[in-house]
Amino acid sequence: MVTRPAVNVVKTAVREGQPCPGVDGVTLVVEEGQKVRYCYVVTNPGSAPLLNVSLVDDNGTPLILGDDFAVTLSGLSDQDGDGQADDLAAGGTATGQSELTSFEPGTVMNVATASGSSRSGEHLSDTDTAVVRVDDVAPTISVTKSADPTSVPEPGAPVTFTVSIQNTSSEPVTVTAITDSIDDGAPFDVTVVSAPITATTCKIGASIAPGSTYSCEFTLVVSGNAEDVVTDVVRATVIDDDGTTASGEDDASVIITDVPPTIEVTKDDGGATVAAPGGEVTYTVSIHNTSFESVTVTAITDSIDGGTPFSVTAPATGPVLATTCEAGVSIGPDEIYTCEFTVRVEGSGGEVVTDTVVASVVDDDGTPASDDDDEQTPVTPVADLAIVKETPATTFTVGEQATYTLRVTNNGPSTATNVVVTDQLPAGLTLVSVQPPSGWSCGGTTTITCTVPSMGAGTTVEVALTVLVGSGAQPSVTNVAEVRADEPDQIPSNNRDDVTTPVVAVAGVTQARPAVQAATLPRTGLDLARGVGAGVLLVGCGLVLVLAGRRRRA
């Protein structure tokens, strides 16, 4: 019986999010910009394996070979033993998927070609098509408009309007026009600087991708009488790549207000910084009368880091150490009143303290106005590091070990960073060991250096050194230790400490003689037993002579 493979492919199309496969032979209808999922089912209805299976989609462009793409199939296996899972067993099925996004309206026919070969090398193939109709969709946009400021003093003032055009359609659009009208007046182009437009960033020809927003600004003078509400309407027009247009509009209102006094307040600390935990800072306050009539200062207050405001006008009270600021001062139109006050600024190292001043004035009608400004004063970190060097011994002995303790304390007020402790061993001392605190690292033999990335305020650690005392240390040895960090230290006198210790030698201690092997020495003199006997005899004779002498004196 002759066995032979066969190949069959079925291609269908579904919308994004729908499961595969679709309905074969049915045209799928989508809107431009929607994603289309193509489903592929390749079967081998033959009685032998189909080898070297491949599936190629022409991407809907049969005359353009360069955009064809291969479809990855699942369900293939290695039937010919070549180590490649690219064969389809007899009666087997393989499936695949691909996704495309269509923008151009019209009908698209995609052709899928499945191919393979028999064991004898016979080439087999099959094709199938899926038809998708892309319907044109008119573009849509959403237009929003805002005004800054939303109110201006009479008789009028410049207002900047921000326009945002969001493309809510599924294809790109191009801006063809942006116009504006005031209180139902004649529309005017806002994309060019021409009366009444005094400035603009709006442009014709801007392309807006689907879901994206194009924003621009234009400025014009809004005028009217007090209490008038001026309504300003903007209209934007766009076009898609099919020539279909869309428009949208929005309005923003500006209120014309009565003319109260206006001032501008500036505050400056002259670039001051204070060392932790704090220090005195002198602030200069300037009050600029920007209105058209004289104003009188009623109050000048200050607050530190959002705290309770306090008066900075004379006389100086509370936290104010000194001041030249006064209430009751008259400021003419476009004139500037300047004064100074001094307060203490406190904070932790690395902190920036924000100090806000508020000035209040009234015009001759009693209408009030106020303004504020702040200044940020950095508090530089300061760390008072102290070191104490100690040894429990009152004297050192040559040839013995001795210990030193280096006690390091951060008295604050800030955390010390990149702390370095150094100990230069003097002549005569040899390092045996060093025991660093937890988190510290130590190195060196003659100059011992111990470091730690940071050391919190109020903490104390100890470094233990063990040394061997040599004869070169006599008659005394002085050992010096120092500590330093990145932060300024306002008490440098305690960054260094030393200890001097007398050094003594052990009496009668001589260097050990080298050992000599007994087998190499010749025998000389008496042996040990005879030598001991002779010694005892001599001692006895000496005692007899001493006793005899005492008797004669008696």
Side-chain angles (χ1 to χ4, degrees):
M1 177 179 178
V2 179
T3 60
R4 184 173 181 273
V7 61
N8 181 53
V9 61
V10 176
K11 179 179 181 180
T12 56
V14 297
R15 294 185 181 89
E16 180 184 19
Q18 292 181 334
C20 282
V23 180
D24 190 22
V26 175
T27 298
L28 178 68
V29 180
V30 297
E31 295 179 349
E32 56 182 325
Q34 283 187 315
K35 287 187 177 180
V36 176
R37 177 180 298 171
Y38 289 104
C39 313
Y40 310 87
V41 179
V42 180
T43 58
N44 177 7
S47 55
L50 182 65
L51 308 180
N52 303 321
V53 177
S54 64
L55 180 62
V56 177
D57 193 302
D58 70 351
N59 204 21
T61 56
L63 300 180
I64 303 175
L65 300 180
D67 64 350
D68 293 0
F69 60 90
V71 179
T72 301
L73 295 173
S74 59
L76 300 179
S77 60
D78 183 9
Q79 297 288 318
D80 54 6
D82 64 355
Q84 303 293 323
D86 58 357
D87 310 321
L88 186 58
T93 299
T95 60
Q97 297 181 16
S98 65
E99 279 193 355
L100 298 175
T101 302
S102 57
F103 289 105
E104 298 295 332
T107 300
V108 181
M109 177 182 292
N110 276 51
V111 179
T113 302
S115 59
S117 60
S118 66
R119 292 188 185 276
S120 63
E122 178 185 5
H123 182 267
L124 304 172
S125 66
D126 187 33
T127 62
D128 194 22
T129 61
V131 180
V132 177
R133 192 185 78 210
V134 181
D135 289 344
D136 186 22
V137 177
T140 57
I141 59 174
S142 174
V143 178
T144 57
K145 180 180 183 180
S146 62
D148 182 27
T150 57
S151 63
V152 295
E154 60 176 342
V159 175
T160 297
F161 295 95
T162 300
V163 180
S164 296
I165 307 170
Q166 183 184 16
N167 181 5
T168 55
S169 52
S170 58
E171 59 182 339
V173 296
T174 302
V175 177
T176 58
I178 305 176
T179 61
D180 195 75
S181 62
I182 300 175
D183 279 345
D184 296 327
F188 49 88
D189 188 359
V190 302
T191 63
V192 294
V193 177
S194 179
I197 302 298
T198 59
T200 183
T201 64
C202 300
K203 296 180 180 179
I204 292 175
S207 179
I208 313 174
S212 298
T213 300
Y214 169 71
S215 296
C216 63
E217 296 179 346
F218 64 90
T219 303
L220 56 83
V221 174
V222 176
S223 58
N225 296 320
E227 309 303 328
D228 284 350
V229 178
V230 179
T231 301
D232 192 284
V233 180
V234 70
R235 182 177 182 85
T237 304
V238 300
I239 190 171
D240 65 10
D241 56 356
D242 302 316
T244 307
T245 62
S247 298
E249 63 182 40
D250 192 27
D251 62 66
S253 297
V254 178
I255 301 173
I256 309 299
T257 62
D258 194 8
V259 183
T262 57
I263 58 173
E264 290 181 357
V265 175
T266 57
K267 181 179 186 180
D268 182 38
D269 65 0
T273 61
V274 294
E280 296 181 5
V281 177
T282 297
Y283 293 99
T284 300
V285 179
S286 297
I287 306 172
H288 182 197
N289 179 10
T290 55
S291 52
F292 301 100
E293 56 186 343
S294 296
V295 295
T296 301
V297 176
T298 57
I300 305 175
T301 61
D302 193 75
S303 62
I304 300 176
D305 269 347
T308 302
F310 51 88
S311 175
V312 300
T313 57
T317 57
V320 181
L321 304 177
T323 184
T324 64
C325 301
E326 296 179 308
V329 174
S330 178
I331 311 174
D334 202 33
E335 290 184 354
I336 298 175
Y337 169 67
T338 301
C339 64
E340 295 179 348
F341 67 91
T342 302
V343 295
R344 181 174 177 82
V345 174
E346 297 181 344
S348 303
E351 183 179 353
V352 176
V353 178
T354 300
D355 192 285
T356 304
V357 69
V358 179
S360 300
V361 300
V362 294
D363 62 11
D364 57 356
D365 300 318
T367 305
S370 63
D371 191 31
D372 62 74
D373 192 27
D374 60 56
E375 181 67 294
Q376 295 180 331
T377 304
V379 181
T380 58
V382 174
D384 173 26
L385 292 180
I387 188 168
V388 176
K389 186 177 183 70
E390 297 176 334
T391 179
T394 57
T395 60
F396 289 168
T397 303
V398 174
E400 295 184 357
Q401 293 184 358
T403 59
Y404 287 104
T405 299
L406 282 62
R407 186 175 299 106
V408 182
T409 301
N410 180 7
N411 295 316
S414 306
T415 296
T417 58
N418 298 322
V419 180
V420 179
V421 174
T422 57
D423 189 312
Q424 177 73 46
L425 291 182
L429 297 185
T430 302
L431 179 67
V432 175
S433 65
V434 56
Q435 183 176 352
S438 176
W440 288 62
S441 60
C442 295
T445 55
T446 304
T447 299
I448 296 90
T449 302
C450 297
T451 61
V452 71
S454 65
M455 185 176 180
T459 59
T460 299
V461 298
E462 290 185 352
V463 179
L465 300 179
T466 301
V467 297
L468 178 64
V469 182
S471 59
Q474 293 180 286
S476 66
V477 63
T478 298
N479 196 349
V480 180
E482 297 180 339
V483 64
R484 68 179 187 272
D486 288 349
E487 288 68 31
D489 192 328
Q490 295 181 329
I491 309 177
S493 60
N494 59 6
N495 296 160
R496 180 182 184 276
D497 194 23
D498 61 72
V499 58
T500 300
T501 309
V503 179
V504 299
V506 178
V509 173
T510 60
Q511 293 185 349
R513 295 178 180 178
V516 181
Q517 295 183 0
T520 63
L521 296 176
R523 180 178 181 87
T524 59
L526 297 173
D527 61 20
L528 180 60
R530 292 178 179 178
V532 170
V536 171
L537 180 61
L538 292 174
V539 170
C541 292
L543 290 174
V544 171
L545 293 174
V546 170
L547 292 174
R550 289 181 178 177
R551 288 174 181 166
R552 290 192 195 99
R553 287 193 295 270

